[in-house]
Amino acid sequence: MARPTIYPTMADAVADVPDGITLIVPGFGVGTPLNLLTALHQRGTKEITVVQNGAAQASTDPSVRNVGNLIEDGRVKKLIASFTAATHPSRPSITEQMARAGTLEVELLPQGTVAERIRAGGAGIPAFYTPAGVGTLLSEGKEHRVFNGRTYVLEEGIVADYAFVHAWKADTAGNLIYRHGARNYNPIAAMAGRTTIVEVEEPIVPAGTFSPDEIHTPGVFVTRMV
Amino acid sequence: MARPTIYPTMADAVADVPDGITLIVPGFGVGTPLNLLTALHQRGTKEITVVQNGAAQASTDPSVRNVGNLIEDGRVKKLIASFTAATHPSRPSITEQMARAGTLEVELLPQGTVAERIRAGGAGIPAFYTPAGVGTLLSEGKEHRVFNGRTYVLEEGIVADYAFVHAWKADTAGNLIYRHGARNYNPIAAMAGRTTIVEVEEPIVPAGTFSPDEIHTPGVFVTRMV
Amino acid sequence: MAAVIGRRLRPGSVVNLGIGIPTLASGYTREEDDILFTSENGVIGYGRVATPEEGDPDVWNAGGQQVTLVPGASFVHHADSFALIRSGRLDVTVLGAYEAAADGSFANWRLSNSAFDNLGGIGGAMDLVASAKEIWLAMEHTTREGKPRLLDACTLPVTSPRGVTLVVTDIAVVAVRDGQFVLEEYAPGYTVEEVVSLTGAPLQVSPDVKEIAL
Amino acid sequence: MAAVIGRRLRPGSVVNLGIGIPTLASGYTREEDDILFTSENGVIGYGRVATPEEGDPDVWNAGGQQVTLVPGASFVHHADSFALIRSGRLDVTVLGAYEAAADGSFANWRLSNSAFDNLGGIGGAMDLVASAKEIWLAMEHTTREGKPRLLDACTLPVTSPRGVTLVVTDIAVVAVRDGQFVLEEYAPGYTVEEVVSLTGAPLQVSPDVKEIAL
């Protein structure tokens, strides 16, 4: 569909999200689609492969569930991230504990590689080369190649079954605008989801309200909005 | 320098542009930095490798010189483009005539490959794979590779010595805003130039005038403005 | 031809129209069908070809025509425009062509096999055909000399070695299925036999074949 | 340490400050020096750490601190933010570290060689060090137990196998040149000999060595 479908509630927007999906979750301090994550947690979807900058500490507010809660509750099969939020080795995060116990698979990547893999997926680029991580543990076992005298490592694009997105403003055509640092992973996540579901802070306005030049994500990338 | 230098005239902005450079020139009908090209033509810079969507027909207005004029006047050594503007085989463009005569090297690429090579260059990505052109003459001799059962071709990023850019609005920090379809190659060109020179339609305003959310190209990518 | 294409576009489709006849198709769809037209140069959501009064100097389709914008239109840069294309979000790409073949291949970018004769220009066609869900062609059924352009195999360098599903010509609407041309519609004033005789490859006739209704 | 870093940044530099001490350095530069601070999360052009009153809920640096925006600040998405980093536009990246070695390598992402002990978290550090023109470190000179953190070779998994040019510690400013540590400044209350004794690799002493002026 050219135009996204607008759902009345977060629960409705994720009501059919099945087990075993891959899911891109933006957010870097701000800009995290917490309402959609809370609804997904409530729905009980499991065996999820999550792509996120770093797994947050589980929320202690019972009305808010984040990726940390999904991990803690055993809903996540695999995490692709650049940070696992260990504050000190004596206090391992739940992510670390589960990774050690073998109940969670973790693929740790440089942050720019996480971002570029998502961007590549959304751009129909199956693979690219990056200098990040060359000469470190994180590039071990990966394919290396020299271009113009410099060594790079091959990384593949990520296309996810679902991308959750947090936007500031949206119109009925699905055009999105983000606010300040809440932009972070949201525009590239929106492009890399086969189904992209957006939670919008402000009430959705009629198509044509925004100037075409101020739109950050064109509605053609959006499947559902709440 | 963190902030771009503002030049009084187009001629000043290109006064030191030497022979033998690589140059990215945006534009797709609109959004072409014609004032900078005219100044570059006047300066006499030659042996240029031009990256552009398609070589335009030479301008017949003597006050405006475009890439077609640079080609016609023998200033271009090589053209990397997706279109050579031949309207009919009986009326070959100057680009075609010179290519046949061996006085101009032409690398013809799918349009999305031109765009993505520029974007990759500006993103520090040395190479990537794309499906465009596989199974055609344009991928002959290129490296092919299969990802997830589909065949792709390897293409390298383009970083140019200079990128010329046409912007609608700019502030003194070099932040740029483009208008409608004049955006086209400009944002990615701005990122892929070692030296990025911008011609601005409207008077340059003080930094802080624009909302941080409406800026298309951050000033950190801009070297010079007129 | 543009009307035939416009009528066949399914509601809710995301469509790219190539240079020439195809670009006119955006004027032949109904607003309620929610068809989104995008163009390689980064305009997402345009309407019909603009009159001189309506035209905005910075709003063009990839065919070099000034077009109107629909409510909710937006602009992206060229890399994001091709991100949209390569990531498979186009339901249909409609392109002009010199030749189409029953194997789903077609040719539209160079009029000679020798780069010495004709350098050619590909534009965005190879990106479009590599990733769109469907490839439709809008083309003349024959050359000016009357030679067929629908062939068993292309003689010119191909734009894509496969993938064409529909060919709309000046005299017929031909589906491409399982390596065969199938006649679905023919133009008023033509007969099925005439269309078959002007086609350079076997042409199956659909049991539902009918005259094109304009 | 933050003041030392702020003072050493050259006018017109584009700088990324890592989590911890480095992020404070943006409060120690002069406006007229036109130093641009960018952060991995996509903020380009921030100032000092914000007071609770100044803070905007959507404006943070990558270290999780609310910061002020300078006039002309802008925001980009994560892929464009790392495009800026990887394309070599950063003059300096300043990072925290557990260990630094005279060969220019350093370690800051995992406290053990075994992933079983400590999974670690790399964030943007490997992207930063792969492409910034200079890598500076801000770190403790020794562990809490007094063991040196400046070594001949790193014992922990490295973040980069090369490239560090400056190490600012709580007691010294040490340049890394030609595979050697060179002492340039030492903290008030310390002597050159003490700094040498607390360093786990040969430490050359610059002929211009001086006490850190705060």
Side-chain angles (χ1 to χ4, degrees):
Chain A
M1 289 293 290
R3 261 168 205 267
T5 309
I6 300 177
Y7 285 74
T9 70
M10 299 288 163
D12 291 324
V14 303
D16 63 352
V17 177
D19 293 349
I21 58 162
T22 51
L23 173 67
I24 298 174
V25 181
F28 191 103
V30 293
T32 311
L34 289 171
N35 297 298
L36 289 168
L37 288 171
T38 303
L40 186 74
H41 186 276
Q42 192 148 24
R43 168 167 157 71
T45 298
K46 56 188 190 299
E47 298 286 308
I48 310 169
T49 295
V50 173
V51 184
Q52 192 181 32
N53 180 71
Q57 301 285 1
S59 159
T60 52
D61 173 353
S63 70
V64 177
R65 305 284 82 174
N66 61 18
V67 170
N69 298 102
L70 287 170
I71 290 173
E72 196 168 73
D73 294 345
R75 307 285 185 74
V76 178
K77 184 174 65 179
K78 181 176 177 180
L79 175 70
I80 300 176
S82 72
F83 207 79
T84 54
T87 49
H88 191 273
S90 64
R91 298 180 60 185
S93 64
I94 183 72
T95 301
E96 292 222 47
Q97 293 175 36
M98 293 179 68
R100 288 182 210 175
T103 52
L104 173 69
E105 185 186 347
V106 177
E107 183 176 346
L108 195 67
L109 295 168
Q111 189 171 331
T113 300
V114 175
E116 189 65 13
R117 286 185 65 183
I118 295 170
R119 190 270 166 190
I125 301 295
F128 61 90
Y129 291 89
T130 176
V134 170
T136 76
L137 276 184
L138 290 193
S139 72
E140 275 186 10
K142 293 184 178 177
E143 180 178 323
H144 288 64
R145 183 156 172 172
V146 175
F147 293 95
N148 299 315
R150 209 171 152 202
T151 304
Y152 298 85
V153 62
L154 182 72
E155 296 283 354
E156 295 196 9
I158 294 175
V159 178
D161 298 318
Y162 289 83
F164 285 179
V165 165
H166 177 92
W168 180 31
K169 297 179 182 177
D171 68 18
T172 52
N175 294 305
L176 308 180
I177 296 176
Y178 310 99
R179 186 169 184 280
H180 291 9
R183 195 184 309 187
N184 61 68
Y185 282 90
N186 282 292
I188 53 175
M191 295 170 73
R194 289 195 190 89
T195 297
T196 293
I197 311 180
V198 184
E199 59 173 60
V200 189
E201 279 182 51
E202 301 209 340
I204 295 167
V205 299
T209 304
F210 305 140
S211 152
D213 292 327
E214 67 176 337
I215 291 163
H216 293 142
T217 293
V220 67
F221 294 107
V222 174
T223 325
R224 304 176 186 176
M225 292 194 294
V226 189
Chain B
M1 288 294 291
R3 261 170 206 265
T5 309
I6 299 177
Y7 286 74
T9 71
M10 299 288 162
D12 291 324
V14 302
D16 63 351
V17 177
D19 294 348
I21 58 161
T22 51
L23 172 67
I24 299 175
V25 181
F28 191 103
V30 292
T32 311
L34 289 171
N35 297 298
L36 289 169
L37 288 171
T38 302
L40 186 74
H41 186 275
Q42 191 148 25
R43 169 168 157 70
T45 297
K46 55 188 191 297
E47 298 286 309
I48 310 170
T49 295
V50 173
V51 184
Q52 192 181 33
N53 180 71
Q57 301 284 3
S59 159
T60 51
D61 173 354
S63 70
V64 177
R65 305 283 83 174
N66 62 17
V67 170
N69 298 103
L70 287 170
I71 290 173
E72 197 169 72
D73 294 344
R75 307 284 185 75
V76 178
K77 184 174 65 179
K78 181 176 176 179
L79 175 69
I80 300 175
S82 72
F83 207 79
T84 54
T87 49
H88 191 274
S90 65
R91 299 181 60 187
S93 64
I94 184 72
T95 301
E96 291 222 46
Q97 292 175 37
M98 294 178 69
R100 287 183 210 175
T103 52
L104 172 69
E105 185 185 348
V106 177
E107 182 177 347
L108 195 67
L109 295 169
Q111 190 171 332
T113 300
V114 175
E116 190 65 12
R117 286 185 66 182
I118 294 170
R119 190 269 166 191
I125 301 295
F128 61 91
Y129 291 89
T130 176
V134 169
T136 77
L137 275 184
L138 290 194
S139 73
E140 274 185 10
K142 294 185 178 177
E143 180 178 322
H144 288 63
R145 184 155 171 172
V146 175
F147 293 95
N148 299 315
R150 208 170 153 203
T151 304
Y152 298 85
V153 63
L154 181 72
E155 296 283 354
E156 295 196 10
I158 294 175
V159 179
D161 298 317
Y162 288 83
F164 285 178
V165 165
H166 177 92
W168 181 32
K169 297 178 182 177
D171 69 18
T172 52
N175 294 306
L176 308 181
I177 296 176
Y178 310 98
R179 187 170 183 281
H180 292 9
R183 195 184 309 186
N184 61 67
Y185 282 90
N186 282 291
I188 53 175
M191 295 171 74
R194 289 194 190 90
T195 296
T196 292
I197 311 180
V198 184
E199 59 172 60
V200 190
E201 278 182 50
E202 301 209 341
I204 295 167
V205 299
T209 304
F210 305 139
S211 153
D213 291 328
E214 68 177 335
I215 291 164
H216 293 142
T217 294
V220 66
F221 294 107
V222 174
T223 325
R224 305 176 186 177
M225 292 194 293
V226 189
Chain C
M1 287 161 70
V4 169
I5 293 163
R7 182 160 41 80
R8 286 198 167 229
L9 292 170
R10 281 180 293 276
S13 295
V14 181
V15 179
N16 182 296
L17 301 173
I19 298 179
I21 296 289
T23 55
L24 302 174
S26 66
Y28 292 92
T29 59
R30 300 177 307 168
E31 198 181 330
E32 62 267 35
D33 282 348
D34 181 28
I35 291 169
L36 184 73
F37 293 102
T38 77
S39 186
E40 298 96 296
N41 56 335
V43 49
I44 299 177
Y46 67 89
R48 62 183 183 286
V49 175
T51 62
E53 295 75 39
E54 291 174 315
D56 179 297
D58 288 330
V59 181
W60 305 73
N61 65 21
Q65 297 163 315
Q66 285 192 305
V67 287
T68 61
L69 293 179
V70 300
S74 61
F75 292 91
V76 292
H77 63 55
H78 241 78
D80 277 352
S81 177
F82 281 88
L84 186 161
I85 292 167
R86 273 193 312 262
S87 63
R89 281 176 172 86
L90 285 185
D91 295 298
V92 184
T93 177
V94 190
L95 292 161
Y98 304 139
E99 295 179 346
D103 60 3
S105 68
F106 77 104
N108 81 345
W109 68 282
R110 187 191 271 181
L111 281 163
S112 159
N113 279 293
S114 162
F116 195 77
D117 287 343
N118 178 243
L119 198 59
I122 183 61
M126 286 186 186
D127 307 271
L128 288 161
V129 299
S131 301
K133 296 194 186 91
E134 291 191 44
I135 305 168
W136 295 5
L137 304 179
M139 59 189 291
E140 302 299 317
H141 209 91
T142 63
T143 65
R144 278 184 217 168
E145 296 75 30
K147 289 187 188 159
R149 290 186 181 276
L150 277 66
L151 307 167
D152 275 318
C154 292
T155 66
L156 295 171
V158 298
T159 304
S160 176
R162 71 188 67 80
V164 173
T165 56
L166 187 73
V167 182
V168 178
T169 76
D170 48 328
I171 63 168
V173 178
V174 176
V176 185
R177 277 199 292 271
D178 306 323
Q180 294 198 307
F181 286 129
V182 181
L183 181 66
E184 297 197 336
E185 300 182 48
Y186 53 90
Y190 283 81
T191 65
V192 168
E193 292 66 33
E194 275 179 288
V195 175
V196 168
S197 74
L198 291 169
T199 303
L203 180 62
Q204 310 298 313
V205 179
S206 165
D208 302 324
V209 70
K210 61 182 181 193
E211 190 176 281
I212 294 171
L214 292 179
Chain D
M1 287 161 68
V4 169
I5 292 164
R7 182 160 40 79
R8 284 196 168 231
L9 291 171
R10 282 179 291 277
S13 294
V14 181
V15 179
N16 182 297
L17 301 173
I19 298 178
I21 297 291
T23 55
L24 301 175
S26 65
Y28 292 92
T29 59
R30 299 178 307 169
E31 198 181 330
E32 62 267 36
D33 282 348
D34 180 28
I35 292 169
L36 184 73
F37 293 102
T38 77
S39 187
E40 298 96 296
N41 56 333
V43 49
I44 299 177
Y46 67 89
R48 63 183 182 286
V49 175
T51 63
E53 295 74 41
E54 291 174 316
D56 179 296
D58 287 332
V59 181
W60 304 74
N61 64 22
Q65 297 162 316
Q66 286 192 304
V67 288
T68 61
L69 293 179
V70 301
S74 61
F75 292 90
V76 292
H77 63 56
H78 242 78
D80 278 351
S81 177
F82 281 89
L84 186 162
I85 292 167
R86 272 191 315 262
S87 63
R89 281 176 172 86
L90 285 185
D91 294 297
V92 184
T93 177
V94 190
L95 293 161
Y98 304 139
E99 295 179 346
D103 60 3
S105 68
F106 77 104
N108 81 344
W109 69 281
R110 188 191 271 181
L111 281 162
S112 160
N113 279 294
S114 163
F116 195 77
D117 287 344
N118 178 243
L119 198 59
I122 183 61
M126 286 186 186
D127 307 273
L128 288 161
V129 300
S131 301
K133 296 194 185 91
E134 291 191 43
I135 305 169
W136 295 5
L137 303 178
M139 60 189 292
E140 302 299 315
H141 210 90
T142 64
T143 65
R144 279 183 217 169
E145 296 77 30
K147 289 186 187 160
R149 290 186 181 274
L150 277 66
L151 307 167
D152 276 317
C154 291
T155 66
L156 295 171
V158 298
T159 303
S160 177
R162 72 187 67 81
V164 174
T165 56
L166 186 74
V167 182
V168 177
T169 76
D170 48 327
I171 63 168
V173 178
V174 176
V176 185
R177 277 200 292 269
D178 306 322
Q180 293 196 309
F181 285 129
V182 181
L183 181 65
E184 297 197 336
E185 301 181 49
Y186 52 91
Y190 283 81
T191 65
V192 168
E193 292 67 31
E194 275 179 287
V195 175
V196 168
S197 75
L198 291 169
T199 302
L203 180 61
Q204 310 297 315
V205 179
S206 165
D208 303 323
V209 71
K210 60 183 181 192
E211 190 176 280
I212 294 171
L214 292 179

